[in-house]
């Protein structure tokens, strides 16, 4: 034990910023929303002091510069926002979470460090997934009378502490909790689902490219816990996109990793499909005090889950139509938005369209409502630049190719999920895209690449990637 402590102290003294970054990446998704940011802030202070002591300046990179333009516009929007505190607070969260991206870009300067961060993401997600699985399983067992209420693991995990903290605060914070849908260490099942989608392709990469049999078994179970966590949220879009993520990776990697991907697919389908069926009320419905199998008969009487799912989908379309109608009703709203932060969106949805919803349930429409077409273009530039950075990389060997496409798939799945739900709703969600962008920049600086400076270069890089894909598969 003493030797281990001494070794840790030595590692910390050599690179304290890196130790804090590792702790932040692992702990941020596990700690409460009102604790996690302070871990990041403390870590960034340590990193900045280390860099100053070594006479180095922190880099932000091309993606970071575009992000800073977007976040600066978000701050400026406080000038015309009717909810200035919400605007300043929301913009402040983006600037705060941006710090982890800066740390990753500067500290993850080797391939080994990049993989270390990916391992921490996977393990933290697996812990969340395991907790989420226990939450939904104990709830279900209690629902059907197999265990007492005292044995149910509360969801979200910090529910009692959250209530105490949010009651103590001088302003109101409302979070919707669902006893029947797991949230893990997050405050909402959709937030947990977003994290599981980010971690799922990364866990597949670590499984596929594990160097030893022991590692392969370890990451196989990590993937199962993440899949189970995704399933436990009962989030329809999240479950569907997780399956889509596997299909995408299978198409890309089938010739080199076909058998191993099928090993992943079997538990993925076995775990996720029941979640979708449950959400639509086809299985696990309470009938006569016991668990029923496939439900038949009158849907209106026996299938309330199916009705709820249909109603939810209908409401989503009503929200999207209403948001689009509102932002196109005024040139000011269309061009510059109402001001950063969801509060304005929630207000006009309720007051104008009688929809009691906190946001647009679509990150493109939400950003458009908050920052207008200017904000959408700036955020779009960040996303395009990120995908471009990944396509730049000369993925001329299998492991490198797998790495690039795992991060590519994680970012893609997060954004796809954002088309059905707002994915920048809290610090623990905002940091997800910052981590992915940081990894993208770190990978870009560690590997050889073909620089993209024009649309023609982007086409060439894409063609090169397709060629590498054909050669490697």
């Amino acid at each position: 034990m003493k030797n281990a402590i001494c070794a840790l102290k030595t590692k910390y003294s050599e690179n304290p910023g890196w130790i804090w970054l590792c702790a932040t990446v692992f702990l941020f998704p596990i700690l409460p929303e009102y604790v996690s940011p302070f871990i990041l802030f403390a870590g960034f202070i340590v990193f900045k002091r280390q860099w100053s002591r070594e006479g180095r300046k922190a880099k932000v990179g091309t993606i970071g510069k575009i992000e800073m333009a977007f976040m600066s516009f978000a701050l400026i929007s406080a000038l015309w926002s009717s909810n200035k505190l919400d605007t300043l607070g929301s913009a402040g969260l983006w600037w705060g979470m941006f710090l982890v991206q800066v740390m990753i870009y500067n500290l993850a300067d080797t391939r080994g460090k990049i993989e270390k961060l990916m391992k921490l993401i996977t393990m933290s997600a697996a812990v969340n997934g395991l907790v989420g699985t226990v939450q939904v399983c104990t709830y279900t067992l209690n629902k059907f009378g197999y265990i007492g209420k005292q044995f149910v693991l509360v969801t979200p995990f910090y529910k009692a502490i959250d209530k105490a903290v949010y009651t103590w605060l001088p302003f109101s914070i409302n979070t919707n909790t669902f006893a029947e849908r797991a949230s893990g260490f997050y405050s909402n099942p959709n937030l947990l689902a977003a994290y599981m989608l980010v971690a799922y392709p990364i866990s597949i990469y670590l499984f596929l490219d594990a160097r030893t049999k022991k590692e392969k078994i370890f990451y196989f179970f990590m993937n199962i816990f993440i899949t189970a966590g995704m399933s436990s949220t009962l989030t329809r879009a999240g479950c569907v996109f997780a399956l889509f993520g596997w299909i995408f990776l299978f198409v890309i990697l089938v010739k080199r990793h076909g058998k191993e991907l099928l090993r992943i697919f079997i538990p993925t389908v076995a775990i996720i499909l029941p979640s979708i069926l449950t959400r639509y009320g086809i299985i696990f419905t309470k009938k006569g005090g016991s668990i029923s199998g496939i439900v038949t008969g009158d849907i209106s009487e026996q299938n309330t889950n199916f009705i709820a799912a249909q109603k939810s989908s209908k409401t989503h379309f009503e929200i999207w139509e209403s948001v689009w109608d509102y932002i196109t009703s005024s040139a000011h709203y269309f061009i510059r938005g109402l001001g950063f932060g969801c509060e304005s969106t929630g207000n006009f949805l309720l007051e104008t369209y009688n929809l009691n919803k906190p946001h647009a349930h679509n990150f493109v429409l939400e950003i458009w409502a908050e920052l207008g077409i200017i904000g959408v273009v700036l955020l779009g530039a960040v996303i395009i630049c990120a995908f471009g950075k990944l396509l730049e990389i000369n993925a001329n060997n299998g492991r490198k190719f797998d790495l690039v496409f795992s991060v590519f798939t994680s970012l893609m799945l997060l954004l796809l999920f954002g088309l059905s739900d707002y994915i920048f709703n809290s610090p623990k969600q905002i940091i997800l895209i910052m981590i992915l962008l940081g990894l993208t920049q770190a990978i870009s600086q560690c590997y050889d690449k073909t620089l993209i400076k024009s649309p023609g270069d982007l086409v060439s890089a894409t063609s090169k990637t397709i060629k590498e894909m054909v050669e490697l598969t």
Side-chain angles (χ1 to χ4, degrees), residues 130-412:
L130 184 58
V131 169
T133 303
V134 174
Q135 287 171 335
V136 78
C137 287
T138 54
Y139 169 82
T140 303
L141 290 171
N142 171 253
K143 176 182 176 181
F144 295 106
Y146 291 104
I147 63 172
K149 193 173 182 179
Q150 68 272 24
F151 297 109
V152 177
L153 182 60
V154 66
T155 182
F157 188 83
Y158 299 110
K159 187 173 183 177
I161 304 174
D162 290 348
K163 185 177 180 181
V165 171
Y166 296 152
T167 302
W168 172 78
L169 290 173
F171 48 86
S172 176
I173 293 182
N174 296 317
T175 57
N176 295 323
T177 62
F178 306 86
E180 72 280 7
R181 297 173 59 197
S183 300
F185 293 106
Y186 284 75
S187 59
N188 181 283
N190 287 352
L191 273 63
L192 176 61
Y195 186 36
M196 297 298 100
L197 283 175
V198 166
Y200 181 69
I202 292 174
S203 70
I204 290 178
Y205 160 71
L206 292 172
F207 167 73
L208 295 179
D209 289 270
R211 291 180 172 86
T212 66
K213 186 176 180 180
K214 188 176 179 181
E215 274 191 0
K216 194 170 283 289
I217 293 171
F218 176 78
Y219 289 116
F220 179 77
F221 280 101
M222 293 297 100
N223 181 268
I224 287 178
F225 293 153
I226 291 167
T227 303
M230 180 74 257
S231 179
S232 72
T233 67
L234 297 178
T235 304
R236 290 166 297 158
C239 290
V240 170
F241 286 133
L243 293 174
F244 172 77
W246 180 90
I247 293 170
F248 179 78
L249 287 173
F250 183 78
V251 170
I252 299 296
L253 307 174
V254 59
K255 286 192 177 178
R256 286 189 303 111
H257 296 297
K259 290 182 179 179
E260 291 172 307
L261 282 166
L262 285 173
R263 287 178 197 156
I264 288 287
F265 185 64
I266 293 170
T268 295
V269 171
I271 293 170
I272 284 182
L273 190 58
S275 177
I276 298 173
L277 296 177
T278 300
R279 194 77 165 94
Y280 280 99
I282 298 173
I283 61 173
F284 288 108
T285 57
K286 191 170 184 178
K287 188 177 180 183
S290 61
I291 301 175
S292 69
I294 302 298
V295 177
T296 59
D298 187 354
I299 290 178
S300 63
E301 292 179 3
Q302 298 179 342
N303 212 346
T304 55
N305 282 350
F306 182 82
I307 295 170
Q310 282 191 318
K311 185 178 178 181
S312 175
S313 298
K314 182 182 177 182
T315 301
H316 273 66
F317 283 106
E318 288 178 1
I319 294 169
W320 297 338
E321 289 172 3
S322 301
V323 173
W324 179 250
D325 180 69
Y326 196 84
I327 60 181
T328 54
S329 66
S330 164
H332 290 299
Y333 300 159
F334 188 88
I335 295 170
R336 71 180 188 187
L338 298 162
F340 202 51
C342 297
E343 191 170 334
S344 295
T345 307
N347 288 342
F348 80 67
L349 283 173
L350 181 60
E351 295 168 5
T352 307
Y353 302 96
N354 197 31
L355 290 168
N356 188 17
K357 300 295 177 181
H359 49 68
H361 284 272
N362 178 294
F363 83 96
V364 177
L365 287 175
E366 183 61 44
I367 294 297
W368 204 327
E370 295 177 18
L371 296 177
I373 191 66
I374 298 173
V376 172
V377 168
L378 287 172
L379 184 58
V382 172
I383 294 167
I384 292 170
C385 186
F387 283 123
K389 286 285 182 188
L390 291 170
L391 291 174
E392 281 182 344
I393 297 165
N394 297 323
N396 49 13
N397 67 60
R399 191 176 185 86
K400 194 191 303 182
F401 189 83
D402 297 347
L403 170 66
V404 169
F405 269 93
S406 69
V407 176
F408 185 99
T409 306
S410 288
L411 183 56
M412 178 182 68

Side-chain angles (χ1 to χ4, degrees), residues 100-102 104-105 108 433-443:
V100 79
Q101 182 177 330
V102 176
I104 292 173
Y105 183 37
I433 194 166
M434 299 298 181
I435 288 173
L436 288 175
L437 294 176
L439 284 173
T440 297
Q441 289 181 296
I443 293 168

